[in-house]
């Protein structure tokens, strides 16, 4: 299908202020959309209240309105500019909510503005908890047992049937705003009230707890011909009960069998088709019981999300750019892959490396904030690292946080036994470091798993890092070149930095670097090419690793 010629002017709604859970990733996606649509010859009208963004640069859109993001303001912009279409899927939850608000007041109908990418029905089915549940049941997908409530009295009655603990999820919110876990009736009363207040439509879902289950996300794209591709699979290092924005995440998924992954893939494709996202990306979340393998669908975002930005950088597939092209009529088979120049965008990315994302927290700036990680997001940013293995990517990501770590290092003070137990049992920003301490203290992987519910595969990889760290301390000798080469090379393959090695060997970083180079151990640079080197890549987008 060629691009649409019946629309000339397109309105894009930005995400507004940079806040926790709605940050620069939406500036990134909105900017991509502005650039693509202008290149395609459309007149772009941008509304965003935040002038400190790239998208509000005067060159990005034909007309830019830096105004409060309210339905009233948007109606004035629409009345003045008379856009033919509104693209609501690239401005985060703000854009979706405002689009629903505009439709609810018949403003879009009044000015004959068409929504592209996702229509109002699809947005409501994806965001409204009841409609989403009904849709998923219709296509035979399993969900956690749950009931909706619209006031506190009804909520108090509902929870009696489900039993504790329960998860409270408000509709039409971002980053888990207002979401919480209640373990008893006293907690529930206050948390349910807060959830109702944070929901745009005063609706909360009271849901059977799946805390401790494994959590997965699939980034999915669909075009107007109903072609659907999985762009990226993401596995949470942390179990359910921690907002995915606060969890360490890994791409591609590491602990599913191919059969389990194909089942999840089929479910995601069925979900995006049933919800009716016409074109563009959606993020779909699943939980899997670690013992029984029961898979339930948790929710979906019918828009480009924070995870979309991660998936784009992890695979090299420009999700926001492709989503904008799909919204104006192109299909996936018509859009060339920027990286290979040969494969179309319907070619599912395949990656032969591991990507680790670690969230960044600044609790020191907000001393009154409870540092316990829950279903409501608290991180202020994130880092992403690429390596050939999980071990390498994890260590690279930890030092990218810029919090004084050069890898999976020890803390400045050794935790007591009680501290160790508390930091393993209660989710927190430093739990991966406390896992290291527990393993060094002789705790078994089974014991740590029972306290954290972090999959044993990840715990075993951390144990291997610790095991090698011990060998580095006792066997790596600057004076013995012959026996050191293999061990030093293995350390670099495990993601140990020169500074990390220097600290372990009581040497300076310069000495270790010079010694490493003399031994001929240098990094190799590999392309992020979306196709595991099956086709030649034409992008200057590399990651370093220690291989031939």
């Amino acid at each position: 299908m060629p691009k649409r010629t019946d629309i000339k002017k397109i309105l894009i709604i930005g995400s507004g202020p940079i806040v926790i859970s709605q940050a620069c990733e939406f500036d990134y996606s909105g900017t991509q959309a502005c650039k693509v649509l202008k290149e395609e010859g459309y007149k772009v009208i941008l509304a965003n209240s935040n002038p400190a963004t790239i998208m509000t640069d005067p060159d990005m859109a034909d007309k830019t309105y830096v105004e409060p993001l309210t339905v009233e303001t948007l109606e004035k912009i629409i009345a003045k500019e008379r856009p033919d279409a509104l693209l609501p899927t690239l401005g985060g939850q703000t854009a979706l909510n405002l689009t629903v608000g505009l439709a609810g007041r018949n403003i879009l109908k009044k000015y004959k503005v068409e929504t592209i990418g996702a229509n109002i029905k699809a947005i409501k089915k994806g965001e409204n908890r009841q409609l989403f549940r009904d849709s998923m049941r219709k296509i035979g997908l399993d969900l956690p047992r749950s009931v909706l409530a619209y006031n506190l009295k009804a909520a108090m009655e509902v929870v009696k049937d489900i039993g504790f603990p329960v998860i409270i999820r408000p509709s039409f919110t971002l980053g888990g705003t207002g979401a919480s876990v209640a373990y008893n009736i006293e907690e529930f009363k206050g948390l349910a009230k807060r959830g109702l207040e944070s929901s745009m439509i005063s609706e909360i879902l009271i849901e059977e707890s799946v805390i401790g289950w494994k959590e997965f996300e699939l980034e999915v794209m669909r075009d107007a011909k109903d072609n659907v591709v999985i762009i990226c699979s993401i596995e949470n290092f942390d179990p359910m009960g921690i907002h995915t924005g606060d969890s360490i995440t890994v791409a591609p998924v590491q602990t599913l069998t191919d059969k389990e992954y194909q089942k999840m893939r089929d479910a995601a494709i069925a979900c995006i088709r049933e919800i009716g996202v016409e074109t563009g990306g959606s993020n779909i979340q699943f939980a899997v019981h670690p013992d029984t393998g029961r898979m339930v669908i948790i929710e979906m975002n019918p828009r480009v999300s924070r995870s979309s930005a991660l998936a784009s950088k992890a695979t090299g597939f420009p999700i926001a750019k492709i989503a904008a092209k799909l919204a104006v009529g192109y299909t996936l088979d018509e859009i060339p892959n920027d990286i290979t120049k040969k494969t179309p965008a319907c070619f599912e990315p395949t990656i032969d490396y591991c990507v680790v994302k670690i969230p960044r927290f600044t609790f020191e700036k907000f001393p009154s904030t409870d540092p316990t990680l829950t279903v409501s997001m608290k991180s202020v940013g994130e880092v992403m690292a690429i390596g050939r293995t999980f071990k390498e990517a994890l260590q690279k990501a930890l030092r990218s946080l810029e919090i004084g770590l050069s890898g999976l290092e020890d803390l400045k003070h050794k935790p007591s036994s009680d501290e160790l137990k508390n930091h393993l049992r209660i989710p927190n920003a430093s739990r991966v470091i406390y896992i290291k301490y527990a393993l060094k203290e002789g705790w078994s992987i089974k014991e740590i798993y029972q306290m954290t519910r972090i999959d044993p595969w990840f715990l075993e990889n951390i144990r291997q890092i610790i095991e090698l760290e011990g060998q580095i301390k006792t066997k790596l000798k600057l004076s013995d070149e012959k026996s050191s080469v293999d061990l030093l090379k293995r350390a670099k393959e495990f993601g140990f930095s020169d500074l990390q090695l220097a600290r372990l060997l009581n040497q300076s970083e310069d000495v270790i670097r010079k010694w490493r180079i003399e031994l001929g151990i240098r990094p190799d640079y590999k392309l992020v090419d979306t196709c595991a080197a099956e086709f030649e890549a034409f992008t200057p987008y590399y990651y370093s690793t220690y291989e031939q």
Side-chain angles (χ1 to χ4, degrees):
M1 288 170 61
K3 72 177 183 182
R4 292 180 59 176
T5 56
D6 58 326
I7 55 176
K8 308 292 183 185
K9 191 184 286 190
I10 300 171
L11 172 64
I12 294 176
I13 304 173
S15 62
I18 291 174
V19 295
I20 289 174
S21 79
Q22 184 164 273
C24 301
E25 59 268 19
F26 294 109
D27 182 29
Y28 160 79
S29 59
T31 299
Q32 291 288 312
C34 289
K35 288 172 69 176
V36 166
L37 295 176
K38 281 191 72 177
E39 286 169 3
E40 292 292 338
Y42 296 100
K43 193 168 184 181
V44 176
I45 311 301
L46 172 67
N48 193 1
S49 63
N50 184 3
T53 57
I54 297 170
M55 71 164 67
T56 48
D57 186 279
D59 295 331
M60 284 297 166
D62 294 285
K63 287 279 189 74
T64 300
Y65 288 86
V66 182
E67 300 286 350
L69 289 179
T70 63
V71 171
E72 293 75 18
T73 301
L74 289 172
E75 182 178 11
K76 291 177 183 177
I77 294 170
I78 290 169
K80 182 180 177 182
E81 294 292 342
R82 294 301 179 103
D84 302 301
L86 165 62
L87 181 55
T89 54
L90 295 163
Q93 193 67 42
T94 297
L96 284 191
N97 289 353
L98 286 167
T99 301
V100 171
L102 289 166
R105 297 193 199 180
N106 289 319
I107 294 167
L108 299 179
K109 187 176 181 181
K110 177 182 175 182
Y111 294 99
K112 298 179 180 178
V113 181
E114 176 189 353
T115 55
I116 56 176
N119 59 34
I120 299 301
K121 184 180 178 182
I123 294 170
K124 286 184 175 179
K125 283 175 77 173
E127 296 291 324
N128 182 291
R129 300 292 180 181
Q130 182 65 54
L131 292 177
F132 181 73
R133 288 166 60 219
D134 292 345
S135 299
M136 294 305 97
R137 284 179 178 147
K138 178 182 172 184
I139 57 175
L141 296 186
D142 194 5
L143 301 104
R145 201 160 51 94
S146 57
V147 181
L148 283 164
Y150 296 89
N151 57 61
L152 190 59
K153 183 179 178 182
M156 298 295 279
E157 289 298 316
V158 163
V159 78
K160 292 177 184 176
D161 294 329
I162 296 179
F164 291 102
V166 293
I167 297 175
I168 301 162
R169 299 185 188 275
S171 295
F172 286 94
T173 63
L174 178 80
T177 302
S180 54
V181 183
Y183 292 90
N184 54 59
I185 196 69
E186 290 78 17
E187 280 184 344
F188 179 79
K189 188 174 182 180
L191 295 172
K193 184 180 178 184
R194 190 182 76 182
L196 288 163
E197 290 169 352
S198 66
S199 171
M200 188 175 84
I201 56 173
S202 297
E203 176 186 273
I204 58 172
L205 185 73
I206 301 161
E207 186 176 80
E208 167 194 3
S209 172
V210 288
I211 290 174
W213 291 32
K214 294 160 67 171
E215 184 171 3
F216 301 88
E217 301 175 73
L218 295 186
E219 195 64 39
V220 189
M221 287 206 103
R222 184 184 187 218
D223 68 17
K225 283 186 178 176
D226 197 27
N227 297 309
V228 184
V229 292
I230 309 299
I231 305 304
C232 189
S233 63
I234 302 171
E235 177 167 359
N236 285 25
F237 174 88
D238 297 293
M240 288 291 295
I242 300 172
H243 190 278
T244 188
D246 286 350
S247 174
I248 296 172
T249 59
V250 185
V253 297
Q254 302 293 316
T255 69
L256 289 179
T257 64
D258 184 59
K259 186 177 180 180
E260 288 173 316
Y261 171 70
Q262 295 302 332
K263 179 184 175 185
M264 188 176 290
R265 185 182 183 280
D266 290 346
I269 292 171
C271 173
I272 196 170
R273 284 175 171 158
E274 173 59 30
I275 294 300
V277 175
E278 296 158 303
T279 65
S282 291
N283 173 257
I284 305 174
Q285 297 176 1
F286 297 90
V288 174
H289 194 286
D291 299 324
T292 65
R294 178 191 168 196
M295 182 186 77
V296 296
I297 189 165
I298 302 298
E299 63 181 6
M300 72 98 74
N301 292 310
R303 56 175 170 81
V304 173
S305 65
R306 180 185 52 257
S307 296
S308 306
L310 172 68
S312 292
K313 291 175 175 61
T315 62
F317 189 102
I319 290 173
K321 178 179 178 178
I322 302 296
K325 283 182 174 284
L326 295 177
V328 294
Y330 288 108
T331 53
L332 287 163
D333 57 305
E334 296 173 328
I335 303 170
N337 185 315
D338 289 348
I339 290 176
T340 65
K341 308 292 186 187
K342 294 179 181 178
T343 59
C346 59
F347 184 96
E348 285 196 352
T350 302
I351 58 179
D352 55 359
Y353 47 81
C354 184
V355 178
V356 171
K357 176 217 84 179
I358 302 182
R360 177 76 154 83
F361 299 90
T362 54
F363 290 119
E364 69 277 4
K365 294 182 180 179
F366 308 100
S368 61
T369 303
D370 180 3
T372 302
L373 304 184
T374 64
V375 290
S376 184
M377 187 173 160
K378 296 177 181 178
S379 66
V380 296
E382 59 195 33
V383 299
M384 186 193 91
I386 305 178
R388 291 287 276 177
T389 65
F390 168 72
K391 292 183 278 288
E392 180 188 4
L394 176 68
Q395 296 228 76
K396 288 169 79 172
L398 284 168
R399 58 178 169 271
S400 300
L401 287 170
E402 297 181 351
I403 56 173
L405 293 173
S406 61
L408 187 63
E409 290 189 305
D410 293 339
L411 298 169
K412 290 179 181 177
H413 75 281
K414 185 179 178 181
S416 66
S417 179
D418 287 341
E419 272 185 296
L420 196 53
K421 288 177 183 176
N422 286 336
H423 280 86
L424 290 177
R425 188 180 293 112
I426 301 169
N428 62 88
S430 301
R431 186 152 68 165
V432 67
I433 305 296
Y434 286 94
I435 288 170
K436 178 185 177 183
Y437 273 106
L439 289 165
K440 287 176 72 174
E441 291 291 319
W443 291 35
S444 69
I445 285 175
K446 185 177 180 181
E447 288 174 304
I448 298 170
Y449 168 70
Q450 287 172 343
M451 295 190 79
T452 64
R453 308 305 286 182
I454 293 169
D455 192 275
W457 187 88
F458 294 116
L459 299 177
E460 170 59 24
N461 272 267
I462 293 172
R463 189 199 65 76
Q464 290 173 19
I465 292 173
I466 296 165
E467 182 180 56
L468 187 61
E469 181 183 275
Q471 292 176 23
I472 290 165
K473 284 181 178 179
T474 58
K475 296 180 181 179
L476 194 59
K477 309 291 183 185
L478 272 73
S479 58
D480 189 350
E481 180 180 315
K482 190 175 180 181
S483 64
S484 293
V485 173
D486 290 342
L487 184 54
L488 182 58
K489 187 173 184 293
R490 191 155 173 252
K492 298 305 291 183
E493 289 172 349
F494 272 48
F496 282 86
S497 65
D498 288 349
L499 178 58
Q500 199 175 356
L501 293 168
R503 289 172 176 172
L504 292 171
L505 299 173
N506 294 315
Q507 296 287 340
S508 72
E509 184 179 3
D510 287 342
V511 167
I512 296 296
R513 184 175 186 275
K514 184 180 177 183
W515 179 52
R516 172 175 60 77
I517 291 170
E518 286 174 353
L519 293 177
I521 300 172
R522 294 172 179 267
D524 183 34
Y525 292 87
K526 296 185 181 291
L527 279 163
V528 173
D529 61 6
T530 79
C531 60
E534 188 174 345
F535 295 92
E536 185 181 358
F538 298 89
T539 178
Y541 187 5
Y542 296 84
Y543 65 97
S544 65
T545 188
Y546 284 81
E547 287 190 336
Q548 293 298 316

